[in-house]
Amino acid sequence: MSAIEKFESMLAQGRDGALLRFSLGNEYLKQGEPRQAAEHLRRAVEQDPKYSAAWKLLGRALADAEAWDEALAAYRQGIEVAEARGDKQAAKEMGVFVRRIEKQLGLKSSD
């Protein structure tokens, strides 16, 4: 049984939660399925809006799916959450990803 199957089984048993959704999103991302990953990561941040790691992974999943505007929005929200929690490293990392996407899209940097 794969990790995805185990996590999906837990979800089917009603054990929904931000950590489970984060784990599922992470596994789908590893399998090269960013849209599936983003679906679970969106649920993770809905369930725990202060989960900065989930915001960061959501941004990555959306970027991998080439949903650039959504990825930027997720990273920006994640930066706000991380800064509010004092998680400077996560905020800094997400800031780097925002600037990369902005540069790729030819947008003026938000710095």
Side-chain angles (χ1 to χ4, degrees), residues 1 21 28 39 42 48 52-53 62 64 67-68 72 77 79 83 85 89 93-94 97 105 109:
M1 182 179 266
R21 292 293 186 153
Y28 275 114
E39 186 179 312
R42 277 191 187 102
D48 183 357
S52 53
L62 292 166
D64 285 0
W68 306 116
L72 282 171
Q77 182 66 41
I79 290 167
E83 286 175 345
R85 294 180 55 123
Q89 184 60 34
E93 289 172 16
M94 286 184 271
F97 296 130
L105 298 178
S109 178

Side-chain angles (χ1 to χ4, degrees), residues 14-81:
R15 296 196 214 156
D16 201 355
L19 180 59
L20 178 56
R21 292 293 186 153
F22 175 84
S23 300
L24 258 168
N26 191 37
E27 289 301 319
Y28 275 114
L29 206 50
K30 287 180 191 175
Q31 296 300 316
E33 297 186 43
R35 293 191 189 286
Q36 279 285 98
E39 186 179 312
H40 290 290
L41 293 162
R42 277 191 187 102
R43 292 297 306 272
V45 297
E46 285 170 12
Q47 293 173 2
D48 183 357
K50 294 180 180 171
Y51 197 166
S52 53
W55 282 110
K56 183 173 138 187
L57 204 58
L58 174 58
R60 183 172 147 213
L62 292 166
D64 285 0
E66 297 184 1
W68 306 116
D69 291 339
E70 292 176 72
L72 282 171
Y75 280 135
R76 288 176 178 142
Q77 182 66 41
I79 290 167
E80 284 182 35
V81 167

